[in-house]
Amino acid sequence: MTAPDTATRPLSPDVEQAEAAIVEHYPRLVRLAYLVLPPSLGRNRRVLTAHSLAQRALPRGRREAAAAQGGVPGQRGGAGAESGYAYVRLRVLRSALEAGLPLTFRALPRRSQLPPLLPQVWGLRLFPRSGGAEELALDQWLATLDGPGRAACVLRALERLPEAEVLRVLTEAGVVNPAAAVAESGDPSTDGLFASPEFDPCVLQARPTDLLRRRRLTRAAIAGGAALVVCGALLALPGGGWGADGAAAPLYAKNAAAEQALDPGQLVRVAPTVWRTSSRTDYSGWPARGDRVDDAALLRRALAVWARPGRSVVVSATPGTPSGPPMGPPQLLFAGTVDQAVVVLLYDGLRVARYAEPLQGTEVAALDFARTDGASADTATGLVLSRVDGNVRYLAAPWVTGAALRDLLKPGEAPVALKLTPEGMTPPVPSPAPDGSCTSWNALAVTGDGATRLITDLGELTPARLTSGAPGAERNVTEGAELGEWSRIACLLPSVRSHGVRTVNAWTYAKQPLPEGDGTATWLCTRAETWQGTADRVQAQFLAPGAPLAAQAAKAEGSPACGPREPRVLAGVLWKSKAGQWYVLAAGSAQFASLTVGGGQVSGAAVGNRLAVKAPAGAQVELSGKLTDGSKAGVLR
């Protein structure tokens, strides 16, 4: 189908002529709008917006004024269908270009920049049929152009207009630099692809939206409507409201228990010396610290946002940590200015919650949760106050008397002493591997309560404690040999980042002399225990002599291996000697009496907990072992 010729310029047509042009050329007009609209809208919204723009091209009155900016297109002679088509095409083009303009606060949004009122499709997502590789490449190329560039390309390829006519139509549509738009409109050799079904928004495929999400939204809408009715009734009562709650959502309930939990005057505040005599040495013994502990408005906002975070609140929680409101008045741990934010730390016996807002304004906020039940003096040594510009700042426990920064990858270097503020804050220290590389890994050595403990930031509110030793006999990392082991495995810590890790223990469970006199290898087992207790992560690592870092030999999640309940582990690797011979190497903990390997043209057995068998390169084998009590056990997996 060829487009009507539009060589001259009469007045705009009346509404009947415009309607006739829209009905006759509707598929072409919708395709034109679809191609000019920005691809960032998504195919479903582009389809609905393209239909809306074509339908809204109908003039409002019997004859719309012809003196609009840029004039109106014309016809060959007299007012007719061709004149009507050129007129509605210009309206569609102008609206599609306006839809691609970014929304700003300097001007009111235009109608074409907003989602269309009509047509609307509920419960379905609509999109054109998929084309081939050429259509996909064309669509990706169109996405790199701006609106005028796409418009020039479509007018040339779809409307078959000469360059002079394209320049004139773009000028009338309000394009500031039509010549530049024409210059970037691409190669005419691909013009035939614009007629492909890939770009036809009138021949559509339909798929349902997210059914589970839709069901949840429906239920939420019903519940929200009921809550709105209740809220309206409550607000109509005298004395309504809890005060200025910052970024919190509107009130959803009002009862005595909720009001008590949200009243800053009811916050639990522990005396500074309680931890010295308390039977529990955990977060419940922390006193309230910081320069804003008496700021009732700040504490009110923090409690209100915890109970009902609004849309502008960024909420995060470690795995297995509920993020609901407190069941009663929580304990205040900290409230003060930290770097460029105001931070509040609260504790309810199960979780620590961190509320943070900017120094200026309360419309946006962040809310983080970390599970801390079962904490002790070993795992309640500190909390993360802030992360800014690749640095992290901690709040130390009240029993911490000193802190030092240690690079785990440099075990021979002495730690750098840090000066704590009177509130227990550390200065900002570099985060472990902030740029994703592993050229260093910083940990904090905190001294207090008769011990020096090593903790590190794994991207959560609670730092993880690092230990060494056999399961059930873990000890603090202080000795040179233990620090040397951690220097080889620290770069494997990112695999357990942001999983709610409480402690990470490294255990050297075997030493193995290598074949052909190539030295002695070390087998280690690393167990990351989580606060929730059901998603512990276990890794077995192989450290060849002279290798700077250990290699992961096996891993498992939720396994009791390498822990107090099952203090054993078995793993194997395929290793190449200096002479070029491949071997299957395996080692188990002391509970293994013999090991067996088979498959992949490999067969062998060994008495004891170590095995070395020649194997072809790339061999796939099965490894098993027999325990000293006669039972069988497999590899870590």
Side-chain angles (χ1 to χ4, degrees):
M1 176 180 177
T2 59
D5 188 10
T6 57
T8 60
R9 304 169 131 202
L11 295 175
S12 59
D14 59 27
V15 68
E16 287 85 1
Q17 292 172 347
E19 181 184 23
I22 292 175
V23 172
E24 180 180 356
H25 301 290
Y26 186 76
R28 179 178 292 274
L29 292 169
V30 177
R31 186 188 291 256
L32 184 147
Y34 179 81
L35 288 167
V36 176
L37 284 170
S40 59
L41 295 178
R43 293 202 294 174
N44 181 75
R45 182 173 169 185
R46 284 171 68 193
V47 166
L48 298 180
T49 303
H51 283 273
S52 175
L53 297 182
Q55 294 171 18
R56 294 211 313 259
L58 190 68
R60 290 192 182 90
R62 299 292 299 174
R63 180 178 294 276
E64 206 169 55
Q69 182 179 359
V72 293
Q75 62 179 3
R76 177 175 290 276
E82 294 180 353
S83 171
Y85 175 76
Y87 177 72
V88 296
R89 180 183 65 191
L90 179 63
R91 288 176 61 91
V92 169
L93 182 63
R94 185 177 293 160
S95 298
L97 290 172
E98 290 176 352
L101 297 176
L103 290 171
T104 64
F105 294 103
R106 298 179 179 179
L108 293 175
R110 304 181 185 182
R111 185 180 178 186
S112 55
Q113 293 176 277
L114 302 175
L117 298 177
L118 291 173
Q120 288 288 347
V121 178
W122 290 68
L124 291 176
R125 298 192 65 81
L126 304 177
F127 48 90
R129 295 176 179 175
S130 298
E134 293 180 336
E135 287 85 352
L136 177 60
L138 177 60
D139 190 44
Q140 292 174 343
W141 176 76
L142 286 174
T144 64
L145 302 180
D146 57 7
R150 290 191 298 271
C153 193
V154 172
L155 289 174
R156 185 200 67 220
L158 193 64
E159 298 295 297
R160 308 291 184 184
L161 298 182
E163 182 176 333
E165 189 69 8
V166 172
L167 291 171
R168 183 185 62 78
V169 174
L170 290 177
T171 302
E172 293 173 344
V175 175
V176 177
N177 192 350
V182 171
E184 67 173 354
S185 61
D187 186 3
S189 62
T190 61
D191 288 356
L193 296 175
F194 284 84
S196 168
E198 169 85 13
F199 308 113
D200 188 356
C202 291
V203 180
L204 301 171
Q205 298 183 86
R207 293 292 185 273
T209 55
D210 189 333
L211 300 178
L212 290 176
R213 182 173 179 269
R214 192 169 70 196
R215 178 180 295 176
R216 289 195 296 266
L217 289 176
T218 302
R219 293 174 179 173
I222 295 174
L228 187 61
V229 173
V230 174
C231 227
L234 289 174
L235 291 176
L237 296 175
W242 279 325
D245 295 338
L251 299 177
Y252 63 89
K254 191 173 184 181
N255 56 62
E259 287 189 2
Q260 189 178 32
L262 300 180
D263 183 1
Q266 298 290 329
L267 282 172
V268 177
R269 298 169 184 256
V270 175
T273 58
V274 164
W275 65 271
R276 300 180 184 275
T277 56
S278 173
S279 59
R280 294 172 54 187
T281 313
D282 59 5
Y283 296 105
S284 63
W286 284 32
R289 291 175 286 178
D291 58 356
R292 303 282 290 273
V293 291
D294 296 323
D295 190 336
L298 168 64
L299 301 178
R300 182 185 300 277
R301 289 194 299 272
L303 291 169
V305 170
W306 184 355
R308 50 187 199 282
R311 291 184 178 181
S312 62
V313 180
V314 179
V315 181
S316 68
T318 58
T321 306
S323 57
M327 294 178 290
Q331 177 183 342
L332 177 62
L333 304 182
F334 179 87
T337 303
V338 182
D339 298 324
Q340 301 301 314
V342 179
V343 176
V344 178
L345 292 177
L346 301 166
Y347 173 66
D348 69 349
L350 172 66
R351 305 159 293 173
V352 169
R354 178 180 61 188
Y355 169 83
E357 66 181 26
L359 286 175
Q360 302 295 329
T362 60
E363 290 75 18
V364 296
L367 187 63
D368 304 311
F369 294 94
R371 186 169 174 175
T372 57
D373 52 320
S376 63
D378 292 325
T379 52
T381 53
L383 291 170
V384 172
L385 277 176
S386 70
R387 294 185 183 89
V388 179
D389 298 331
N391 295 321
V392 59
R393 190 191 292 268
Y394 300 89
L395 177 67
W399 53 85
V400 170
T401 57
L405 185 67
R406 178 182 288 279
D407 187 350
L408 293 181
L409 300 190
K410 300 175 182 177
E413 293 187 1
V416 179
L418 303 176
K419 184 178 181 180
L420 301 177
T421 67
E423 291 82 13
M425 287 193 299
T426 69
V429 297
S431 298
D435 56 355
S437 63
C438 196
T439 56
S440 67
W441 192 280
N442 289 323
L444 206 65
V446 291
T447 302
D449 196 29
T452 297
R453 303 171 178 89
L454 200 63
I455 61 175
T456 190
D457 178 23
L458 291 181
E460 298 171 353
L461 185 54
T462 54
R465 180 194 177 205
L466 306 181
T467 60
S468 293
E474 298 89 348
R475 57 187 180 273
N476 292 316
V477 181
T478 56
E479 301 296 332
E482 298 162 349
L483 291 170
E485 291 175 357
W486 267 107
S487 69
R488 309 290 184 87
I489 60 176
C491 287
L492 297 176
L493 285 174
S495 62
V496 297
R497 186 192 293 269
S498 301
H499 285 91
V501 173
R502 175 169 55 181
T503 62
V504 185
N505 182 61
W507 171 37
T508 299
Y509 68 88
K511 298 275 189 177
Q512 182 175 23
L514 296 175
E516 304 178 16
D518 283 355
T520 301
T522 302
W523 292 87
L524 301 104
C525 182
T526 304
R527 181 176 180 85
E529 294 192 349
T530 61
W531 288 96
Q532 57 182 321
T534 57
D536 298 343
R537 293 174 175 249
V538 186
Q539 294 183 19
Q541 291 120 6
F542 174 77
L543 180 58
L549 300 176
Q552 180 177 282
K555 64 178 180 178
E557 182 175 349
S559 170
C562 198
R565 289 186 175 273
E566 191 175 290
R568 65 172 187 266
V569 62
L570 172 62
V573 295
L574 196 63
W575 173 80
K576 186 178 182 181
S577 69
K578 294 179 181 179
Q581 175 63 51
W582 286 95
Y583 289 85
V584 172
L585 301 181
S589 52
Q591 294 86 354
F592 284 87
S594 63
L595 303 179
T596 304
V597 64
Q601 302 178 1
V602 178
S603 178
V607 177
N609 64 336
R610 296 170 296 188
L611 175 146
V613 178
K614 289 183 179 181
Q620 300 290 324
V621 300
E622 290 292 331
L623 179 65
S624 61
K626 183 179 290 187
L627 302 176
T628 53
D629 61 3
S631 60
K632 292 184 178 180
V635 297
L636 178 66
R637 60 181 55 177

